[in-house]
Each structure stands twice: as structure tokens, then as C-alpha cells.
Amino acid sequence: MTTVLITGITGQDGSYLADFLLDKGYDVHGMVRRSSTETFLRIEHIRDRITIHQADLLDQLSLINLIEKVQPDEIYNLAAMSFVPTSWVQPVLTAEFTAVGVTKMLEAIRLVNKKIKFYQASSSEMFGKVQEVPQRETTPFYPRSPYGVAKVYGHFITVNYRESYDIFACSGILFNHESPRRGKEFVTRKITDAVARIKCGLQDKLYLGNLDAKRDWGYAGDYVKAMWMMLQQEKSEDYVIATGETHSVREFCEKAFSHAGLEWQDYVGLDPRLVRPAEVDLLIGDPTKAHNRLGWHPEHTFGELVDMMVDEDLNRYRQ
Ligand code: NAP
Ligand code: GDD
């Protein structure tokens, strides 16, 4: 049985990856940071099939001890401060979790067992002010937020440990991926949750920032499969994972409201406080390498994703 350690297992991607690897017959271990209240909502349904351990990306010794205890074959490093606006408010903490935390994981692997395969959750936010359209593995990075800058560090330290110590380390450059398990502060879930609340008479208005921003949005369940595929290759490499389509926040609103039989202009207002100090205007990925080398393709369209998210939020409020 293959043993896996997932950091960030309580998050959106961690929970889908745990589902996916349990189905593959893995022995799944998850790392969580200590909290006074449990944050296990997304993994409640598999709680008795996985093993949870406390450790923290900020604490080097806790990571070394954890890896010695679990003896994993694969590690997926998904834990991070992942919300872009917070990275302007807490830039130092973001760097400590999202950037230096990756070095701490890699150092723990180097010290305990260099044969462990490592996946780093890199991000299309690294492309920022895009230098090429569409963005691919070779497109230069130009991050536009402290989060993006931290992810560039995490990306290159992963490449560096692969090249310096011959560790099987892959960096997945994933474009935005969403689901009914997405945190409610991210724009897609903020919209679908509001659509459901408005439809059920619990809310009147939805305030958003920049409606013109464009993102390449996919379904998180499809993207965790790509993470696993990267670690099953002969050679460790980096891959862009994206749909190859882009849509604006405005289009997402139109589609989500209309799926519930509502006209988005009747409910959406603008709040300039939600506009970011520096914006990433356009993201669109070129997943050709992942198609050709991994055989990976997204299995859900943009329309299916929006409908799925609205339907799940509507069901929740109706219940
Ligand atoms: P998420 O839902 O915000 O989950 C983040 C996870 O990290 C949570 O489990 C959180 O634990 C954990 N965490 C944060 N700080 C930690 C610390 N100091 N020690 C231990 N655990 C810590 O994020 P996601 O959407 O699943 O994304 C997963 C990863 O992929 C992140 O690294 C993100 O930056 C990256 N990424 C995401 C996307 C996307 O579109 N979703 C795209 C590209 C890259 P708590 O439950 O305790 O908060
Ligand atoms: N969150 C939020 N809230 N975003 C808004 C709002 C709002 O009210 N109004 C407009 N937006 C715009 C943002 O300005 C941004 O251009 C876009 O919607 C998407 O914002 P988010 O959903 O917060 O995601 P993100 O693109 O900043 O970051 C996500 O994707 C990255 C990959 O590109 C996160 O998951 C990151 O962790 C991930 O790395």
C-alpha cells in the first residue's frame, strides 16, 4: 500500500486529493495545524479512513518528526496562506508559510528520506502581469501580490532541490480551480453562495470588486488528479494545469444568477474597497504539455462548474 502525506488536507484541494487517493487504495495521512476548534468540515465524510497529525509549516522540527513517523512514499504540499488579498495585509506571514514553508518541507525530506516524491502547489498567480498569452511552463513570471511572490519562491526552491539533491520534486502550476468546497471569500463561491441566499430570500445584494478580471477556471476534482499523475511519471517535471479558456468575473456572475433564474444586474453592486492594490487582469493557461505527457484533460466545462456550485449552494440553503 502506498503511503501519502498531504499538508493542507482540511482545504479545498486537500479534501479532494484525499478522496481521490483513498479510491486508489492509498494509506492517507494529513497534516493539520493546531487550532482551538476543528476545521475538518471538508474531510468529515472520510475522517475515519485517514490519519490526522498535528504539525506546522512554521516549525521545522515538527515536519521532520512527522515525516519520520509517517514514512510516506509521496508528499503533496498544499498548505499555504492561499487568499491573495490577505497577502497584502500579512505579507511577512505569507512569505513564512507560502514561501519558506516549502523549504522547510524539502529540508525535512532531504534529512529523512530523499526517495520521497514531492508535489508543490504552485500557482498561475505567479504569471501576474502576464508576459505571454496563453501562459505555459516557459512563460516568465511577473507576480503582482505578496502571495504571488511567495509562490515564485516556492516554485524555484522546488526546482532547486530537484537539481541540487536529485529529489523527485514536481511543481504543478495550477490555474484557478473551484468547487462547492471552495472557501467563501474566493470570488466564485462568494457569487454562488450569494445567488443561493438571494434566491432563498436571505440576502438582497452582492458587492464585488473588479468585474473585468479574467480567469481560467476549472473544477478542483479534475485538478487533483493531475497532481497525482505528475508524481507517477518516470521523471519529475513542472506542468501547467488549466482549461485553456478564460472568462471574466462578470461572465461568472451572469451565468450563476441566470442558472437560478435571476438577472445579475438587479443584485450586484460595486465596492471599491474590494479592488486590489495590483490586479492580475488576465489568466489563460496552455495545458498542452499536461495533455501530451500526462494524458490529463479537464473533465468539466466552465458551464458545468458554475451550475454545480450554484446547485449545491441552493440545496444547502433550501435544506
Ligand atoms: P485552501 O482551501 O485555502 O486550503 C489551504 C490549506 O492550508 C488549509 O488546509 C489550511 O489549514 C492549510 N494551512 C495554512 N497555513 C498552514 C500552516 N501554517 N500549517 C499547516 N497548514 C496550513 O486552499 P486550496 O484552494 O485548497 O489550495 C491548495 C494549495 O494550492 C494552496 O497552496 C494554494 O495556494 C494552491 N493553489 C490553489 C489554487 C486554487 O485555485 N485553488 C490554484 C493554484 C494554487 P486550515 O484549515 O487550518 O486553515
Ligand atoms: N475574492 C474576491 N472577492 N475577488 C474578487 C471580488 C470579490 O469580491 N470581486 C472581484 N474579484 C476578482 C479579483 O480581483 C480577482 O481578479 C478575481 O476576482 C479572482 O479572485 P479570487 O477568487 O480571490 O482568486 P485569485 O485569482 O485571486 O486567487 C486564486 O487563484 C490563484 C491561482 O491563480 C487563489 O485560489 C490562489 O490561492 C491561487 O493561487
Side-chain angles (χ1 to χ4, degrees), residues 154-175:
H155 174 81
F156 279 123
I157 202 71
T158 302
V159 173
N160 183 258
Y161 270 58
R162 177 168 73 216
E163 294 176 356
S164 304
Y165 302 113
D166 205 19
I167 291 172
F168 191 107
C170 297
S171 166
I173 307 174
L174 271 53
F175 282 62

Side-chain angles (χ1 to χ4, degrees), residues 82-84 123-125 147 176 182 185-187 190 207-210 213 215 249 274 276 279 283:
S82 72
F83 189 50
V84 173
S123 165
S124 51
E125 183 74 13
Y147 168 84
N176 298 50
R182 185 59 142 156
E185 73 259 78
F186 297 93
V187 77
K190 181 174 172 180
Y207 288 96
L208 295 173
N210 179 11
R215 290 290 182 275
V249 173
L274 295 168
R276 298 177 180 183
E279 179 62 286
L283 289 177

Side-chain angles (χ1 to χ4, degrees), residues 7-15 31-35 37-40 42 55-59 63 77-83 93 96-98 119-125 147 151 172-178 181-183 185-186 216-218 220 223 227:
T7 75
I9 195 164
T10 56
Q12 171 188 257
D13 290 7
S15 67
M31 182 186 109
V32 301
R33 53 181 165 175
R34 196 261 157 192
S35 159
T37 50
E38 281 194 352
T39 53
F40 296 171
R42 295 185 178 104
D56 200 298
L57 281 181
L58 300 185
D59 189 321
L63 301 177
N77 184 38
L78 309 184
M81 201 307 288
S82 72
F83 189 50
L93 192 67
E96 281 166 355
F97 281 174
T98 306
Y119 173 86
Q120 167 57 18
S122 287
S123 165
S124 51
E125 183 74 13
Y147 168 84
K151 281 288 179 187
I173 307 174
L174 271 53
F175 282 62
N176 298 50
H177 45 281
E178 319 293 314
R181 296 187 201 167
R182 185 59 142 156
E185 73 259 78
F186 297 93
D216 180 329
W217 277 299
Y223 283 43
M227 298 176 186

Side-chain angles (χ1 to χ4, degrees), residues 178-195:
E178 319 293 314
S179 74
R181 296 187 201 167
R182 185 59 142 156
K184 285 187 192 170
E185 73 259 78
F186 297 93
V187 77
T188 55
R189 185 75 198 291
K190 181 174 172 180
I191 294 168
T192 62
D193 183 70
V195 166

